Amino acid sequence: MYLFYCEQVGTLNYLAPVFEKLSKLRINYLIFSNRDFSRKKKINFNIENIKLKKTKKKLFHLLIKKKVKKVICSLTINSYIQKKIIDSCKNQKIPTIGILDFWVNIRERFFFKNKQIILPDKILNIDHFTKKKLLQLGISENKIITVG
């Protein structure tokens, strides 16, 4: 089971081809969010609306219950939940991939309360400019994959 965590409707839109391909290949995946996207007309995916808030225990049970093999999440600015997901996955030895789809406020996407850095195992970024910014933050080059 692949688990996708999305906080923004834009993330769902650019991942649409990925979801379609996974469906065709009959690979199990789950999209979940703490936001309600049901009123968005363009979204045609089954999204579980899970209110995690600050509940690490609930997240742990979700990862175990769904037998998650990999977690993919958008790297949103100051997302407490995203950082908890990545941290929980590290504790469960579940690989994580973060998608960096914008080139501003990069630092805020990884630092928790401006102190602790929380990184996914791999970061998909949009271009070489963003890669350079990630390297300037001290993020290892072997974590960065430029896709744009």
Side-chain angles (χ1 to χ4, degrees):
M1 167 76 66
Y2 291 89
L3 187 69
F4 291 85
Y5 175 73
C6 302
E7 286 190 23
Q8 305 293 328
V9 70
T11 305
L12 293 171
N13 288 331
Y14 70 68
L15 286 174
V18 174
F19 302 141
E20 289 169 9
K21 183 77 170 185
L22 290 172
S23 294
K24 284 180 185 174
L25 294 172
R26 296 182 183 197
I27 296 173
N28 291 332
Y29 69 93
L30 170 67
I31 306 167
F32 83 102
S33 181
N34 64 329
R35 298 182 63 187
D36 183 8
F37 293 116
S38 62
R39 287 180 250 147
K40 302 289 182 187
K41 292 180 183 167
K42 290 184 178 179
I43 304 301
N44 297 321
F45 308 108
N46 185 18
I47 302 169
E48 284 194 31
N49 190 336
I50 301 172
K51 298 290 183 192
L52 290 175
K53 294 191 181 177
K54 297 182 180 183
T55 311
K56 195 169 181 178
K57 187 176 181 182
K58 199 174 194 180
L59 177 59
F60 173 78
H61 289 297
L62 174 71
L63 295 171
I64 299 298
K65 180 181 172 186
K66 300 289 184 178
K67 298 178 183 171
V68 174
K69 293 180 183 175
K70 191 170 289 188
V71 172
I72 300 97
C73 59
S74 57
L75 297 172
T76 308
I77 298 169
N78 295 322
S79 172
Y80 174 84
I81 294 172
Q82 163 209 300
K83 290 172 181 69
K84 282 294 176 193
I85 291 167
I86 292 170
D87 195 43
S88 292
C89 287
K90 286 184 185 297
N91 292 336
Q92 297 300 311
K93 296 185 180 10
I94 297 170
T96 56
I97 298 172
I99 301 170
L100 183 58
D101 63 346
F102 209 64
W103 51 92
V104 295
N105 299 319
I106 293 171
R107 184 180 197 285
E108 290 81 358
R109 297 167 194 264
F110 301 107
F111 284 85
F112 185 62
K113 297 184 179 177
N114 261 349
K115 295 177 185 173
Q116 181 185 4
I117 188 166
I118 298 177
L119 294 173
D121 297 309
K122 296 289 180 186
I123 300 168
L124 304 180
N125 76 306
I126 55 176
D127 58 20
H128 293 290
F129 174 79
T130 309
K131 180 178 180 176
K132 184 178 175 183
K133 291 287 187 185
L134 292 167
L135 292 170
Q136 288 172 351
L137 287 173
I139 296 172
S140 172
E141 189 167 8
N142 67 0
K143 284 190 172 285
I144 305 167
I145 301 169
T146 303
V147 295

